[in-house]
Each structure stands twice: as C-alpha cells, then as structure tokens.
C-alpha cells in the first residue's frame, strides 16, 4: 500500500508540473511538431489546468487515505506494548485459560486463542482488530507454558508466561453425580499470567 501511495504522489507531482507549463511554451511545442495546426484558445488552457489540478488533488486525498489505511492495519510497538500489558492484567488470576480435560497440545491451542483475543481486545481504538500471533514455546505443558506474542508491523515481541495451579477449595462437586470411587470432582485451576519484553 505504501508503494502505491508513493506512486500516486509522484503522479500528482507530474500533473501539477503539467498544470504549471505556460501556454506560450505549449503553443511553440505544437507549432514545432505541426506548423499548420490551429491555434489553441486561452480558455482551453484554463480548463486543462483546472482539470490537472483537480486530478492531482483527488490523487493526494487517495494517497493520504491509503497511508492511513495501512497504518490502521499494522501494529506499532507502543500499541502492542500497551495491549499486551493490559491483556496480561486481565488474564492474571483468571480461570478461563485452557480446557481442564484437554491434552497439553489442546491447552496450548486454547491458551493461544485466549491470549490473542485479549491482546486484540485491549489494543485501543487505533490498533488493528487482527494481526496478533501468540506462538507457543517448545516444551509447553498445561501447568507451565509460554507464548511469544507479536503483532503485524510491530518490531517488538513479548513472552507471556502462564502458570496453572490447582485450587482445590474451588473444585466443583456436581450434585448427584458419582464416579467409580465416589463423588465426581471437577478440578478448579487458577492461572498466573506474566509477561516480559522479548521472545520466549
């Protein structure tokens, strides 16, 4: 998008330069090419100049809007830093991360989705609504995992660390449901979420 906007600005400069060419110079150039050509009236030059300036003005507006649209589609380092900090604060202490009955790989997928969603949600009004990637670190387990968070366009990266601990006092005992060894227990977990600058 930036290259297209630059091309449009160059084209606008050419159109404005053409609008500044004097009528006498154009007449002399036409006469050198075709001496028998009829003379061009001054009104035609006025109309041509207005048309060229109008086209250049429209091109400038389109180029500026293109640059603004590209800026809105990319994360800046400041936007990503703020969004990650707020997302970590929102997730720290949550019981929403992961699935208690899934394998480690499934917990990774769900934690990744939750972290990405929270970062986007806390990105603010000017930040994009997509383009966040939370990449799981090698060796992650359900109780202890890390994710490298990046955003399209941002040079910064953050390592978000998630530690899961069992919270037995918050276990749920579904009424009337018993297992092979007595009452079924749905374990409760709390998540401590922290971050640091840099990849994991």
């Amino acid at each position: 998008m930036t290259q297209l906007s630059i091309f449009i600005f160059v084209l606008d400069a050419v159109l404005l330069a053409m609008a500044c060419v004097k009528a006498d110079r154009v007449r002399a150039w036409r006469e050198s090419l075709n001496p028998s050509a009829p003379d061009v009236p001054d009104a035609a030059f006025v109309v041509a100049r207005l048309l060229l300036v109008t086209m250049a003005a429209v091109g400038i507006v389109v180029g500026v809007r293109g640059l603004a649209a590209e800026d809105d589609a990319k994360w800046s380092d400041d936007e990503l830093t703020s969004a990650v900090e707020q997302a970590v604060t929102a997730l720290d202490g949550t019981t929403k991360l992961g699935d208690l009955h899934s394998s480690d790989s499934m917990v990774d997928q769900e934690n990744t989705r939750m972290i990405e969603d929270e970062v986007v949600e806390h990105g603010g009004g000017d930040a994009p609504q997509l383009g966040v990637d939370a990449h799981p670190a090698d060796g992650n387990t359900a109780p202890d995992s890390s994710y490298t968070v990046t955003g399209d366009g941002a040079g910064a990266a953050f390592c978000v660390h998630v530690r899961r601990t069992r919270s037995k006092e918050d276990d749920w005992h579904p009424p009337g449901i018993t297992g092979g060894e007595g009452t079924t227990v749905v374990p409760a977990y709390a998540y401590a979420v922290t971050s640091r600058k840099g990849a994991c």
Side-chain angles (χ1 to χ4, degrees):
M1 187 63 93
T2 301
Q3 293 175 343
L4 179 59
S5 294
I6 290 172
F7 174 77
I8 290 172
F9 291 144
V10 170
L11 184 60
D12 293 339
V14 171
L15 291 173
L16 290 173
M18 289 171 62
C20 293
V21 175
K22 293 182 178 180
D24 292 339
R25 180 172 288 182
V26 174
R27 287 186 175 117
W29 177 73
R30 286 186 78 242
E31 189 175 338
S32 68
L33 292 177
N34 186 2
S36 62
D39 195 25
V40 179
D42 288 339
F45 287 104
V46 172
V47 171
R49 283 192 178 96
L50 287 174
L51 183 61
L52 290 169
V53 170
T54 302
M55 289 170 58
V58 169
I60 289 170
V61 170
V62 169
V64 169
R65 286 192 177 177
L67 291 175
E70 182 176 18
D71 180 58
D72 290 344
K74 288 188 176 180
W75 287 85
S76 71
D77 286 358
D78 289 341
E79 288 171 338
L80 186 63
T81 299
S82 175
V84 169
E85 288 172 355
Q86 292 179 57
V88 166
T89 299
L91 291 173
D92 188 36
T94 188
T95 57
K96 296 179 182 177
L97 282 165
D99 183 334
L100 306 180
H101 307 292
S102 295
S103 64
D104 285 356
S105 63
M106 288 300 294
V107 171
D108 247 357
Q109 290 176 15
E110 292 172 14
N111 286 355
T112 295
R113 179 189 52 78
M114 182 73 75
I115 291 168
E116 290 172 352
D117 289 348
E118 284 292 329
V119 171
V120 168
E121 183 178 327
H122 290 90
D126 292 337
Q129 296 302 302
L130 45 86
V132 173
D133 180 44
H135 184 72
D138 293 336
N140 277 356
T141 62
D144 192 2
S145 55
S146 296
Y147 306 86
T148 297
V149 178
T150 57
D152 288 348
F158 295 87
C159 182
V160 175
H161 183 250
V162 179
R163 184 176 295 278
R164 183 180 82 174
T165 56
R166 178 78 183 272
S167 179
K168 287 188 177 183
E169 63 272 11
D170 294 324
D171 284 353
W172 183 51
H173 303 271
I177 301 176
T178 58
E181 298 179 4
T183 304
T184 299
V185 175
V186 177
Y189 294 96
Y191 292 84
V193 184
T194 58
S195 69
R196 64 172 174 79
K197 196 163 186 177
C200 298

